[in-house]
Amino acid sequence: MKRTAEKPSKPRAKGQKGSPRRREPREATEAPAAASDPGDAQESPAVVAYLRELDHPLKEAVVALRQIILGVSPAIREEIKWNAPSFRTTEHFATFNLRAKDRVRLILHLGAKVKDTAAKGLEIADPAGLLEWLARDRCLVTFSDGEDVQAKRAALESVLRAWLRQV
């Protein structure tokens, strides 16, 4: 019996088939505090795995930013889309851009499909000046490090709530 129990652990590291299911319980036992959080249903095993493997100098800022975004609303879900963590309710509205190594960028958008708001634009209050508009329905928020994420936290939460009301 022990051989049978040990065999699945070897292919798990090598094989694709079934590996996410086997890793998920393992993550839960490694981080019991996170497993008991009520927002757990929002978290995606694919994003957890992506962040575990992420090689970025500002990884801690990315993780903190992810928690802020998920904390804005219980309706927010995450997944890997466009090769990065992406967030959605009914539509995708935010995606990390992690190509630069000296900053963390978050793109706020209205999904992949062009909508009426692309022509008329969005009205988002931004008293802190976080948003760099790329188009009428798409903008960029840039963070220099973890301290910058925390300093802009309240303003970002406000912008995200306003953004979600218009999605």
Side-chain angles (χ1 to χ4, degrees):
M1 276 310 235
K2 286 186 179 181
R3 279 188 173 176
T4 307
E6 290 174 2
K7 279 187 178 181
S9 66
K10 289 180 183 178
R12 182 177 68 223
K14 293 178 187 176
Q16 297 288 329
K17 196 171 188 177
S19 61
R21 286 185 184 159
R22 290 189 178 122
R23 287 183 186 167
E24 186 176 348
R26 212 168 194 204
E27 291 163 16
T29 58
E30 289 173 4
S36 64
D37 289 343
D40 244 7
Q42 294 176 281
E43 295 183 357
S44 159
V47 173
V48 171
Y50 176 94
L51 292 173
R52 185 180 337 107
E53 299 299 320
L54 181 64
D55 181 23
H56 194 284
L58 299 173
K59 181 176 180 173
E60 288 181 27
V62 172
V63 171
L65 192 52
R66 171 184 175 245
Q67 290 305 315
I68 291 169
I69 296 166
L70 291 174
V72 167
S73 169
I76 296 173
R77 300 293 181 260
E78 65 181 1
E79 62 187 66
I80 300 297
K81 190 153 182 94
W82 301 296
N83 298 316
S86 188
F87 304 88
R88 64 175 172 79
T89 53
T90 55
E91 293 277 343
H92 285 90
F93 68 89
T95 303
F96 278 110
N97 175 326
L98 301 173
R99 283 175 261 178
K101 297 296 181 187
D102 63 337
R103 61 192 170 272
V104 175
R105 292 178 167 172
L106 182 67
I107 300 170
L108 300 180
H109 53 83
L110 297 175
K113 296 178 183 175
V114 177
K115 296 176 180 55
D116 292 339
T117 49
K120 65 179 181 176
L122 294 173
E123 292 184 28
I124 304 290
D126 182 24
L130 295 181
L131 306 178
E132 177 187 335
W133 288 93
L134 305 172
R136 292 176 156 225
D137 63 344
R138 183 175 306 268
C139 64
L140 184 65
V141 184
T142 303
F143 302 91
S144 58
D145 56 26
E147 288 179 21
D148 194 31
V149 169
Q150 293 308 318
K152 295 176 179 175
R153 180 182 189 135
L156 177 65
E157 289 171 337
S158 177
V159 163
L160 289 172
R161 284 186 189 98
W163 195 274
L164 288 173
R165 283 191 296 270
Q166 295 191 38
V167 171

